[in-house]
Amino acid sequence: ETGVTQSPTHLIKTRGQQVTLRCSSQSGHNTVSWYQQALGQGPQFIFQYYREEENGRGNFPPRFSGLQFPNYSSELNVNALELDDSALYLCASSSRGYGANVLTFGAGSRLTVL
Amino acid sequence: RKEVEQDPGPFNVPEGATVAFNCTYSNSASQSFFWYRQDCRKEPKLLMSVYSSGNEDGRFTAQLNRASQYISLLIRDSKLSDSATYLCVVKALGRGSTLGRLYFGRGTQLTVWP
């Protein structure tokens, strides 16, 4: 059984650029959630995807967008990057959509915006 | 007010010590409760769920007080390997965009020294 894998692990961008982060969910999981974790803070919910549709969204602006593919993998896209977007972006998969209690996290993508 | 409040610490304790972490949550409709552990520069991993009657897993004991909206984690006989950040996590029974999302505290940092 493979776990959640994310890519890239680290990346550096400049303000105004766009970034795409990728996530492959754990085998058997059909739901993917994305979280942003700033330094010294707990993860903050960005959004969740279930059956290729957004299934809930946190307090993030529209320049944060996502996709889920038929194989349940997912992408997080962030446009017009700002310095405050520097964070660890965590993808988590689960098997029961909104009913899931346990999330399996990937190792994260660490984004630095200069 | 944040959904989940935790004392960020840090807690520095010797091996063998007993240490307790507390957190409070603001949404009385919260449905499920967890403690996650996060090692430095790694992803969060589920430590244990927290049940209304309290529950124990080896050296770890979790308690929930729904009336006070308070959650605790007790670690007995601390080991060097317990050094990590402990995240208090609450799942709210929300509607619409909040359905199924997890709310994380900022985490409490623990260092166990020899």
Side-chain angles (χ1 to χ4, degrees):
Chain A
E1 179 180 278
T2 57
V4 178
T5 57
Q6 291 187 244
S7 64
T9 54
H10 297 81
L11 69 166
I12 299 173
K13 293 285 189 178
T14 56
R15 275 187 306 174
Q17 284 189 309
Q18 178 266 344
V19 67
T20 296
L21 308 178
R22 296 178 175 83
C23 171
S24 294
S25 60
Q26 181 169 311
S27 176
H29 286 183
N30 58 11
T31 302
V32 172
S33 303
W34 285 92
Y35 286 78
Q36 179 197 65
Q37 186 174 23
L39 194 63
Q41 301 297 318
Q44 299 296 309
F45 177 75
I46 304 175
F47 42 54
Q48 180 184 87
Y49 278 84
Y50 176 63
R51 293 184 175 178
E52 301 178 51
E53 291 189 357
E54 188 178 288
N55 187 42
R57 188 178 184 94
N59 189 26
F60 281 82
R63 60 190 185 84
F64 286 77
S65 63
L67 287 172
Q68 187 181 32
F69 301 99
N71 66 354
Y72 307 127
S73 66
S74 177
E75 286 183 356
L76 164 65
N77 299 288
V78 187
N79 294 321
L81 284 167
E82 301 177 359
L83 297 179
D84 285 348
D85 295 334
S86 295
L88 179 67
Y89 288 85
L90 294 160
C91 171
S93 72
S94 55
S95 61
R96 293 175 56 206
Y98 69 82
N101 277 336
V102 178
L103 302 185
T104 302
F105 283 91
S109 294
R110 190 168 299 278
L111 171 65
T112 301
V113 182
L114 302 177
Chain B
R1 183 181 175 189
K2 289 190 174 181
E3 293 281 343
V4 181
E5 298 271 9
Q6 272 187 271
D7 180 350
F11 284 57
N12 298 301
V13 302
E15 272 189 293
T18 296
V19 61
F21 304 137
N22 306 312
C23 95
T24 57
Y25 60 95
S26 61
N27 187 345
S28 60
S30 296
Q31 182 185 41
S32 306
F33 309 89
F34 314 90
W35 285 99
Y36 275 70
R37 170 194 168 127
Q38 187 171 25
D39 293 300
C40 187
R41 304 186 75 79
K42 300 284 190 181
E43 73 274 23
K45 292 184 178 178
L46 179 66
L47 178 67
M48 59 195 301
S49 299
V50 186
Y51 303 116
S52 297
S53 55
N55 49 297
E56 188 174 302
D57 182 2
R59 298 180 294 107
F60 298 85
T61 300
Q63 298 279 350
L64 169 64
N65 185 322
R66 285 187 181 269
S68 302
Q69 295 178 203
Y70 173 93
I71 307 163
S72 66
L73 176 68
L74 184 76
I75 304 176
R76 292 183 301 278
D77 188 24
S78 297
K79 311 291 185 189
L80 297 178
S81 57
D82 293 334
S83 297
T85 296
Y86 291 83
L87 297 159
C88 179
V89 184
V90 171
K91 179 182 174 184
L93 185 64
R95 288 195 297 263
S97 66
T98 66
L99 185 63
R101 64 179 286 187
L102 299 184
Y103 294 88
F104 286 78
R106 64 180 297 183
T108 300
Q109 186 180 343
L110 171 67
T111 300
V112 181
W113 46 273

